[in-house]
Amino acid sequence: MTASDQSDNDIDAEETRLLDGRVVCFQPLRGYRSAIDPILMQAAITARPGDRVLELGCGVGAASLALAFRLPETRVIGLDIQAPLIALARKGATENGFEDRVGFLAGDLLALPDDVADGGFDHVMANPPFQKAGTSRPSPDAVKALATVESEAKLADWVRVAAGLVGDGGCVTFIHHGDRGDELANLMAGVLGDLRILPIQARADGGGAARIIVQGIKGAEAGQQTELPLVLHETGGKYTVVVDKILRGYADMSGPSEDTVKK
């Protein structure tokens, strides 16, 4: 499917709020909707003022919009193959007043638009489809199916393209399903160095990683470090204190923000 196969009017959407209500995001009423993964992913990125950040497979722009709010001196571009989702992302950028430094493009990562193909980004982040093609029955909703099941672009393609779009010293950040964590880490180790691996598990009592965040640096020496798991839920089901602060935008993966200290 190409970016032009769907019209911008295919999706009925509603306004939702991110980061404790401070960021507006427009989501489809049915089918594909962003969960917590984009927020966790962008919280792992530490960028300097003026850095350029690219999100591959941005969907409705949840991660890009949250990052632009959290790091107001960055410039962000989001790319997705689904034009209706890009239309919602652009609407979010306008609603939040980010148009001067956040842009969204409809395009295929296997045939990059000229606006991103030149590379030179300081950061690339991606939350690619979790499921391999043919391993499960796709959703009958076409938008959700394309967002959750690999098509022509496989995980190896996502990693290769992401690594090619950052300059030396640039950082690539992926979030993926825990079952594919080893696969993701091995792919990233082939093109990036100094890997940081963060398992994310549902509860402290184990059960394996539900998600995994892997970061790597272009041009860095080979090597990897696996950190202690980030635990999502307390025994009663509530988010842990750390995760709650991250999801509400008062902390990132490095610790609490200034706003948290003031609170």
PDB file of all heavy atoms in Angstrom, residues 61-94:
ATOM      1  N   GLY A  61       1.036  10.622  15.471  1.00  0.00           N
ATOM      2  CA  GLY A  61       2.004  11.587  15.981  1.00  0.00           C
ATOM      3  C   GLY A  61       2.119  11.672  17.486  1.00  0.00           C
ATOM      4  O   GLY A  61       2.708  12.630  18.003  1.00  0.00           O
ATOM      5  N   ALA A  62       1.621  10.676  18.213  1.00  0.00           N
ATOM      6  CA  ALA A  62       1.633  10.762  19.676  1.00  0.00           C
ATOM      7  C   ALA A  62       3.041  10.966  20.231  1.00  0.00           C
ATOM      8  O   ALA A  62       3.274  11.843  21.068  1.00  0.00           O
ATOM      9  CB  ALA A  62       1.002   9.507  20.282  1.00  0.00           C
ATOM     10  N   ALA A  63       3.998  10.156  19.775  1.00  0.00           N
ATOM     11  CA  ALA A  63       5.370  10.284  20.293  1.00  0.00           C
ATOM     12  C   ALA A  63       5.993  11.610  19.882  1.00  0.00           C
ATOM     13  O   ALA A  63       6.642  12.285  20.689  1.00  0.00           O
ATOM     14  CB  ALA A  63       6.220   9.118  19.804  1.00  0.00           C
ATOM     15  N   SER A  64       5.813  11.993  18.631  1.00  0.00           N
ATOM     16  CA  SER A  64       6.408  13.243  18.141  1.00  0.00           C
ATOM     17  C   SER A  64       5.858  14.458  18.873  1.00  0.00           C
ATOM     18  O   SER A  64       6.604  15.375  19.242  1.00  0.00           O
ATOM     19  CB  SER A  64       6.149  13.389  16.639  1.00  0.00           C
ATOM     20  OG  SER A  64       6.861  12.427  15.896  1.00  0.00           O
ATOM     21  N   LEU A  65       4.551  14.483  19.080  1.00  0.00           N
ATOM     22  CA  LEU A  65       3.934  15.621  19.762  1.00  0.00           C
ATOM     23  C   LEU A  65       4.361  15.678  21.221  1.00  0.00           C
ATOM     24  O   LEU A  65       4.641  16.761  21.761  1.00  0.00           O
ATOM     25  CB  LEU A  65       2.415  15.528  19.657  1.00  0.00           C
ATOM     26  CG  LEU A  65       1.842  15.634  18.238  1.00  0.00           C
ATOM     27  CD1 LEU A  65       0.348  15.332  18.240  1.00  0.00           C
ATOM     28  CD2 LEU A  65       2.106  17.017  17.643  1.00  0.00           C
ATOM     29  N   ALA A  66       4.425  14.511  21.878  1.00  0.00           N
ATOM     30  CA  ALA A  66       4.844  14.481  23.280  1.00  0.00           C
ATOM     31  C   ALA A  66       6.295  14.927  23.409  1.00  0.00           C
ATOM     32  O   ALA A  66       6.650  15.684  24.315  1.00  0.00           O
ATOM     33  CB  ALA A  66       4.660  13.074  23.855  1.00  0.00           C
ATOM     34  N   LEU A  67       7.151  14.469  22.507  1.00  0.00           N
ATOM     35  CA  LEU A  67       8.564  14.859  22.559  1.00  0.00           C
ATOM     36  C   LEU A  67       8.724  16.351  22.293  1.00  0.00           C
ATOM     37  O   LEU A  67       9.516  17.029  22.949  1.00  0.00           O
ATOM     38  CB  LEU A  67       9.378  14.036  21.565  1.00  0.00           C
ATOM     39  CG  LEU A  67      10.889  14.267  21.614  1.00  0.00           C
ATOM     40  CD1 LEU A  67      11.637  12.953  21.478  1.00  0.00           C
ATOM     41  CD2 LEU A  67      11.344  15.233  20.540  1.00  0.00           C
ATOM     42  N   ALA A  68       7.969  16.875  21.326  1.00  0.00           N
ATOM     43  CA  ALA A  68       8.047  18.304  21.017  1.00  0.00           C
ATOM     44  C   ALA A  68       7.624  19.151  22.205  1.00  0.00           C
ATOM     45  O   ALA A  68       8.177  20.233  22.445  1.00  0.00           O
ATOM     46  CB  ALA A  68       7.177  18.621  19.807  1.00  0.00           C
ATOM     47  N   PHE A  69       6.662  18.664  22.973  1.00  0.00           N
ATOM     48  CA  PHE A  69       6.247  19.384  24.182  1.00  0.00           C
ATOM     49  C   PHE A  69       7.323  19.285  25.261  1.00  0.00           C
ATOM     50  O   PHE A  69       7.673  20.271  25.906  1.00  0.00           O
ATOM     51  CB  PHE A  69       4.930  18.813  24.715  1.00  0.00           C
ATOM     52  CG  PHE A  69       4.487  19.415  26.015  1.00  0.00           C
ATOM     53  CD1 PHE A  69       3.761  20.601  26.041  1.00  0.00           C
ATOM     54  CD2 PHE A  69       4.806  18.813  27.227  1.00  0.00           C
ATOM     55  CE1 PHE A  69       3.365  21.173  27.239  1.00  0.00           C
ATOM     56  CE2 PHE A  69       4.421  19.369  28.435  1.00  0.00           C
ATOM     57  CZ  PHE A  69       3.695  20.549  28.445  1.00  0.00           C
ATOM     58  N   ARG A  70       7.854  18.084  25.452  1.00  0.00           N
ATOM     59  CA  ARG A  70       8.838  17.849  26.510  1.00  0.00           C
ATOM     60  C   ARG A  70      10.166  18.536  26.230  1.00  0.00           C
ATOM     61  O   ARG A  70      10.834  19.011  27.154  1.00  0.00           O
ATOM     62  CB  ARG A  70       9.048  16.340  26.670  1.00  0.00           C
ATOM     63  CG  ARG A  70       9.978  15.934  27.799  1.00  0.00           C
ATOM     64  CD  ARG A  70       9.977  14.425  27.993  1.00  0.00           C
ATOM     65  NE  ARG A  70      10.496  13.707  26.845  1.00  0.00           N
ATOM     66  CZ  ARG A  70      11.802  13.469  26.638  1.00  0.00           C
ATOM     67  NH1 ARG A  70      12.703  13.909  27.489  1.00  0.00           N
ATOM     68  NH2 ARG A  70      12.195  12.789  25.572  1.00  0.00           N
ATOM     69  N   LEU A  71      10.546  18.590  24.946  1.00  0.00           N
ATOM     70  CA  LEU A  71      11.822  19.191  24.548  1.00  0.00           C
ATOM     71  C   LEU A  71      11.536  20.304  23.538  1.00  0.00           C
ATOM     72  O   LEU A  71      11.675  20.130  22.327  1.00  0.00           O
ATOM     73  CB  LEU A  71      12.734  18.122  23.939  1.00  0.00           C
ATOM     74  CG  LEU A  71      13.083  16.946  24.865  1.00  0.00           C
ATOM     75  CD1 LEU A  71      13.843  15.875  24.104  1.00  0.00           C
ATOM     76  CD2 LEU A  71      13.885  17.413  26.067  1.00  0.00           C
ATOM     77  N   PRO A  72      11.130  21.468  24.019  1.00  0.00           N
ATOM     78  CA  PRO A  72      10.614  22.518  23.134  1.00  0.00           C
ATOM     79  C   PRO A  72      11.643  23.156  22.206  1.00  0.00           C
ATOM     80  O   PRO A  72      11.263  23.930  21.331  1.00  0.00           O
ATOM     81  CB  PRO A  72      10.044  23.556  24.107  1.00  0.00           C
ATOM     82  CG  PRO A  72      10.755  23.314  25.391  1.00  0.00           C
ATOM     83  CD  PRO A  72      11.015  21.850  25.448  1.00  0.00           C
ATOM     84  N   GLU A  73      12.921  22.834  22.356  1.00  0.00           N
ATOM     85  CA  GLU A  73      13.930  23.424  21.479  1.00  0.00           C
ATOM     86  C   GLU A  73      14.400  22.436  20.413  1.00  0.00           C
ATOM     87  O   GLU A  73      15.408  22.664  19.754  1.00  0.00           O
ATOM     88  CB  GLU A  73      15.115  23.927  22.308  1.00  0.00           C
ATOM     89  CG  GLU A  73      14.725  25.074  23.235  1.00  0.00           C
ATOM     90  CD  GLU A  73      15.907  25.636  23.999  1.00  0.00           C
ATOM     91  OE1 GLU A  73      16.963  24.982  24.036  1.00  0.00           O
ATOM     92  OE2 GLU A  73      15.776  26.734  24.557  1.00  0.00           O
ATOM     93  N   THR A  74      13.663  21.341  20.233  1.00  0.00           N
ATOM     94  CA  THR A  74      13.969  20.377  19.174  1.00  0.00           C
ATOM     95  C   THR A  74      13.084  20.633  17.963  1.00  0.00           C
ATOM     96  O   THR A  74      12.038  21.286  18.055  1.00  0.00           O
ATOM     97  CB  THR A  74      13.739  18.926  19.647  1.00  0.00           C
ATOM     98  OG1 THR A  74      12.385  18.791  20.108  1.00  0.00           O
ATOM     99  CG2 THR A  74      14.691  18.572  20.768  1.00  0.00           C
ATOM    100  N   ARG A  75      13.499  20.074  16.829  1.00  0.00           N
ATOM    101  CA  ARG A  75      12.694  20.084  15.607  1.00  0.00           C
ATOM    102  C   ARG A  75      12.370  18.640  15.273  1.00  0.00           C
ATOM    103  O   ARG A  75      13.262  17.778  15.274  1.00  0.00           O
ATOM    104  CB  ARG A  75      13.440  20.765  14.459  1.00  0.00           C
ATOM    105  CG  ARG A  75      13.853  22.194  14.779  1.00  0.00           C
ATOM    106  CD  ARG A  75      14.469  22.888  13.587  1.00  0.00           C
ATOM    107  NE  ARG A  75      13.488  23.103  12.532  1.00  0.00           N
ATOM    108  CZ  ARG A  75      12.650  24.141  12.486  1.00  0.00           C
ATOM    109  NH1 ARG A  75      12.651  25.043  13.438  1.00  0.00           N
ATOM    110  NH2 ARG A  75      11.801  24.272  11.491  1.00  0.00           N
ATOM    111  N   VAL A  76      11.106  18.362  14.979  1.00  0.00           N
ATOM    112  CA  VAL A  76      10.639  16.985  14.844  1.00  0.00           C
ATOM    113  C   VAL A  76       9.935  16.785  13.506  1.00  0.00           C
ATOM    114  O   VAL A  76       9.129  17.629  13.082  1.00  0.00           O
ATOM    115  CB  VAL A  76       9.670  16.613  16.000  1.00  0.00           C
ATOM    116  CG1 VAL A  76       9.300  15.132  15.925  1.00  0.00           C
ATOM    117  CG2 VAL A  76      10.290  16.940  17.360  1.00  0.00           C
ATOM    118  N   ILE A  77      10.238  15.671  12.851  1.00  0.00           N
ATOM    119  CA  ILE A  77       9.529  15.246  11.643  1.00  0.00           C
ATOM    120  C   ILE A  77       8.996  13.837  11.883  1.00  0.00           C
ATOM    121  O   ILE A  77       9.710  12.969  12.392  1.00  0.00           O
ATOM    122  CB  ILE A  77      10.449  15.243  10.403  1.00  0.00           C
ATOM    123  CG1 ILE A  77      10.891  16.662  10.050  1.00  0.00           C
ATOM    124  CG2 ILE A  77       9.730  14.622   9.202  1.00  0.00           C
ATOM    125  CD1 ILE A  77      11.848  16.734   8.876  1.00  0.00           C
ATOM    126  N   GLY A  78       7.741  13.606  11.512  1.00  0.00           N
ATOM    127  CA  GLY A  78       7.155  12.275  11.586  1.00  0.00           C
ATOM    128  C   GLY A  78       6.811  11.780  10.190  1.00  0.00           C
ATOM    129  O   GLY A  78       6.339  12.557   9.357  1.00  0.00           O
ATOM    130  N   LEU A  79       7.077  10.507   9.948  1.00  0.00           N
ATOM    131  CA  LEU A  79       6.803   9.883   8.644  1.00  0.00           C
ATOM    132  C   LEU A  79       5.948   8.654   8.847  1.00  0.00           C
ATOM    133  O   LEU A  79       6.225   7.822   9.713  1.00  0.00           O
ATOM    134  CB  LEU A  79       8.121   9.491   7.959  1.00  0.00           C
ATOM    135  CG  LEU A  79       7.996   8.767   6.608  1.00  0.00           C
ATOM    136  CD1 LEU A  79       7.609   9.754   5.509  1.00  0.00           C
ATOM    137  CD2 LEU A  79       9.303   8.053   6.249  1.00  0.00           C
ATOM    138  N   ASP A  80       4.904   8.526   8.040  1.00  0.00           N
ATOM    139  CA  ASP A  80       4.069   7.320   8.093  1.00  0.00           C
ATOM    140  C   ASP A  80       3.491   7.053   6.714  1.00  0.00           C
ATOM    141  O   ASP A  80       3.203   7.988   5.952  1.00  0.00           O
ATOM    142  CB  ASP A  80       2.931   7.477   9.108  1.00  0.00           C
ATOM    143  CG  ASP A  80       2.335   6.132   9.522  1.00  0.00           C
ATOM    144  OD1 ASP A  80       1.498   5.582   8.783  1.00  0.00           O
ATOM    145  OD2 ASP A  80       2.735   5.630  10.592  1.00  0.00           O
ATOM    146  N   ILE A  81       3.286   5.777   6.415  1.00  0.00           N
ATOM    147  CA  ILE A  81       2.780   5.389   5.102  1.00  0.00           C
ATOM    148  C   ILE A  81       1.283   5.654   4.967  1.00  0.00           C
ATOM    149  O   ILE A  81       0.760   5.708   3.852  1.00  0.00           O
ATOM    150  CB  ILE A  81       3.094   3.893   4.844  1.00  0.00           C
ATOM    151  CG1 ILE A  81       2.970   3.563   3.358  1.00  0.00           C
ATOM    152  CG2 ILE A  81       2.210   2.997   5.702  1.00  0.00           C
ATOM    153  CD1 ILE A  81       3.485   2.177   3.004  1.00  0.00           C
ATOM    154  N   GLN A  82       0.584   5.857   6.079  1.00  0.00           N
ATOM    155  CA  GLN A  82      -0.873   5.997   6.050  1.00  0.00           C
ATOM    156  C   GLN A  82      -1.264   7.481   6.077  1.00  0.00           C
ATOM    157  O   GLN A  82      -1.209   8.138   7.121  1.00  0.00           O
ATOM    158  CB  GLN A  82      -1.500   5.252   7.221  1.00  0.00           C
ATOM    159  CG  GLN A  82      -1.146   3.761   7.229  1.00  0.00           C
ATOM    160  CD  GLN A  82      -2.182   2.932   7.931  1.00  0.00           C
ATOM    161  OE1 GLN A  82      -3.325   2.829   7.479  1.00  0.00           O
ATOM    162  NE2 GLN A  82      -1.802   2.338   9.035  1.00  0.00           N
ATOM    163  N   ALA A  83      -1.683   7.966   4.942  1.00  0.00           N
ATOM    164  CA  ALA A  83      -2.041   9.378   4.811  1.00  0.00           C
ATOM    165  C   ALA A  83      -3.143   9.825   5.783  1.00  0.00           C
ATOM    166  O   ALA A  83      -3.083  10.947   6.295  1.00  0.00           O
ATOM    167  CB  ALA A  83      -2.447   9.681   3.364  1.00  0.00           C
ATOM    168  N   PRO A  84      -4.168   9.008   6.062  1.00  0.00           N
ATOM    169  CA  PRO A  84      -5.188   9.463   7.019  1.00  0.00           C
ATOM    170  C   PRO A  84      -4.625   9.712   8.412  1.00  0.00           C
ATOM    171  O   PRO A  84      -5.065  10.628   9.109  1.00  0.00           O
ATOM    172  CB  PRO A  84      -6.201   8.309   7.020  1.00  0.00           C
ATOM    173  CG  PRO A  84      -6.003   7.613   5.719  1.00  0.00           C
ATOM    174  CD  PRO A  84      -4.540   7.717   5.442  1.00  0.00           C
ATOM    175  N   LEU A  85      -3.657   8.907   8.829  1.00  0.00           N
ATOM    176  CA  LEU A  85      -3.042   9.130  10.141  1.00  0.00           C
ATOM    177  C   LEU A  85      -2.174  10.385  10.125  1.00  0.00           C
ATOM    178  O   LEU A  85      -2.124  11.128  11.115  1.00  0.00           O
ATOM    179  CB  LEU A  85      -2.219   7.909  10.550  1.00  0.00           C
ATOM    180  CG  LEU A  85      -2.994   6.590  10.699  1.00  0.00           C
ATOM    181  CD1 LEU A  85      -2.054   5.487  11.208  1.00  0.00           C
ATOM    182  CD2 LEU A  85      -4.193   6.742  11.622  1.00  0.00           C
ATOM    183  N   ILE A  86      -1.501  10.632   9.022  1.00  0.00           N
ATOM    184  CA  ILE A  86      -0.704  11.846   8.896  1.00  0.00           C
ATOM    185  C   ILE A  86      -1.594  13.081   8.977  1.00  0.00           C
ATOM    186  O   ILE A  86      -1.227  14.106   9.567  1.00  0.00           O
ATOM    187  CB  ILE A  86       0.108  11.827   7.588  1.00  0.00           C
ATOM    188  CG1 ILE A  86       1.247  10.825   7.691  1.00  0.00           C
ATOM    189  CG2 ILE A  86       0.650  13.209   7.244  1.00  0.00           C
ATOM    190  CD1 ILE A  86       2.292  11.170   8.733  1.00  0.00           C
ATOM    191  N   ALA A  87      -2.773  13.003   8.382  1.00  0.00           N
ATOM    192  CA  ALA A  87      -3.706  14.134   8.463  1.00  0.00           C
ATOM    193  C   ALA A  87      -4.068  14.437   9.915  1.00  0.00           C
ATOM    194  O   ALA A  87      -4.141  15.606  10.322  1.00  0.00           O
ATOM    195  CB  ALA A  87      -4.964  13.829   7.652  1.00  0.00           C
ATOM    196  N   LEU A  88      -4.273  13.387  10.721  1.00  0.00           N
ATOM    197  CA  LEU A  88      -4.580  13.590  12.136  1.00  0.00           C
ATOM    198  C   LEU A  88      -3.361  14.143  12.880  1.00  0.00           C
ATOM    199  O   LEU A  88      -3.497  14.996  13.766  1.00  0.00           O
ATOM    200  CB  LEU A  88      -5.034  12.269  12.768  1.00  0.00           C
ATOM    201  CG  LEU A  88      -6.330  11.676  12.231  1.00  0.00           C
ATOM    202  CD1 LEU A  88      -6.665  10.373  12.965  1.00  0.00           C
ATOM    203  CD2 LEU A  88      -7.492  12.661  12.368  1.00  0.00           C
ATOM    204  N   ALA A  89      -2.175  13.655  12.528  1.00  0.00           N
ATOM    205  CA  ALA A  89      -0.953  14.157  13.173  1.00  0.00           C
ATOM    206  C   ALA A  89      -0.760  15.639  12.884  1.00  0.00           C
ATOM    207  O   ALA A  89      -0.392  16.419  13.777  1.00  0.00           O
ATOM    208  CB  ALA A  89       0.256  13.347  12.693  1.00  0.00           C
ATOM    209  N   ARG A  90      -0.989  16.033  11.641  1.00  0.00           N
ATOM    210  CA  ARG A  90      -0.850  17.458  11.293  1.00  0.00           C
ATOM    211  C   ARG A  90      -1.863  18.308  12.050  1.00  0.00           C
ATOM    212  O   ARG A  90      -1.553  19.423  12.494  1.00  0.00           O
ATOM    213  CB  ARG A  90      -1.039  17.636   9.788  1.00  0.00           C
ATOM    214  CG  ARG A  90       0.124  17.106   8.954  1.00  0.00           C
ATOM    215  CD  ARG A  90      -0.201  17.116   7.484  1.00  0.00           C
ATOM    216  NE  ARG A  90       0.949  16.699   6.678  1.00  0.00           N
ATOM    217  CZ  ARG A  90       0.868  16.324   5.402  1.00  0.00           C
ATOM    218  NH1 ARG A  90      -0.312  16.316   4.790  1.00  0.00           N
ATOM    219  NH2 ARG A  90       1.954  15.965   4.755  1.00  0.00           N
ATOM    220  N   LYS A  91      -3.056  17.780  12.210  1.00  0.00           N
ATOM    221  CA  LYS A  91      -4.074  18.500  12.972  1.00  0.00           C
ATOM    222  C   LYS A  91      -3.622  18.680  14.419  1.00  0.00           C
ATOM    223  O   LYS A  91      -3.809  19.748  15.025  1.00  0.00           O
ATOM    224  CB  LYS A  91      -5.399  17.728  12.920  1.00  0.00           C
ATOM    225  CG  LYS A  91      -6.585  18.456  13.526  1.00  0.00           C
ATOM    226  CD  LYS A  91      -7.864  17.650  13.314  1.00  0.00           C
ATOM    227  CE  LYS A  91      -9.074  18.378  13.901  1.00  0.00           C
ATOM    228  NZ  LYS A  91     -10.319  17.582  13.728  1.00  0.00           N
ATOM    229  N   GLY A  92      -2.975  17.637  14.976  1.00  0.00           N
ATOM    230  CA  GLY A  92      -2.446  17.738  16.328  1.00  0.00           C
ATOM    231  C   GLY A  92      -1.350  18.785  16.444  1.00  0.00           C
ATOM    232  O   GLY A  92      -1.298  19.547  17.412  1.00  0.00           O
ATOM    233  N   ALA A  93      -0.455  18.821  15.454  1.00  0.00           N
ATOM    234  CA  ALA A  93       0.619  19.818  15.480  1.00  0.00           C
ATOM    235  C   ALA A  93       0.047  21.226  15.474  1.00  0.00           C
ATOM    236  O   ALA A  93       0.518  22.115  16.209  1.00  0.00           O
ATOM    237  CB  ALA A  93       1.551  19.614  14.292  1.00  0.00           C
ATOM    238  N   THR A  94      -0.983  21.459  14.666  1.00  0.00           N
ATOM    239  CA  THR A  94      -1.620  22.771  14.596  1.00  0.00           C
ATOM    240  C   THR A  94      -2.301  23.121  15.906  1.00  0.00           C
ATOM    241  O   THR A  94      -2.156  24.245  16.424  1.00  0.00           O
ATOM    242  CB  THR A  94      -2.640  22.805  13.448  1.00  0.00           C
ATOM    243  OG1 THR A  94      -1.972  22.553  12.208  1.00  0.00           O
ATOM    244  CG2 THR A  94      -3.339  24.146  13.381  1.00  0.00           C
TER     245      THR A  94
END
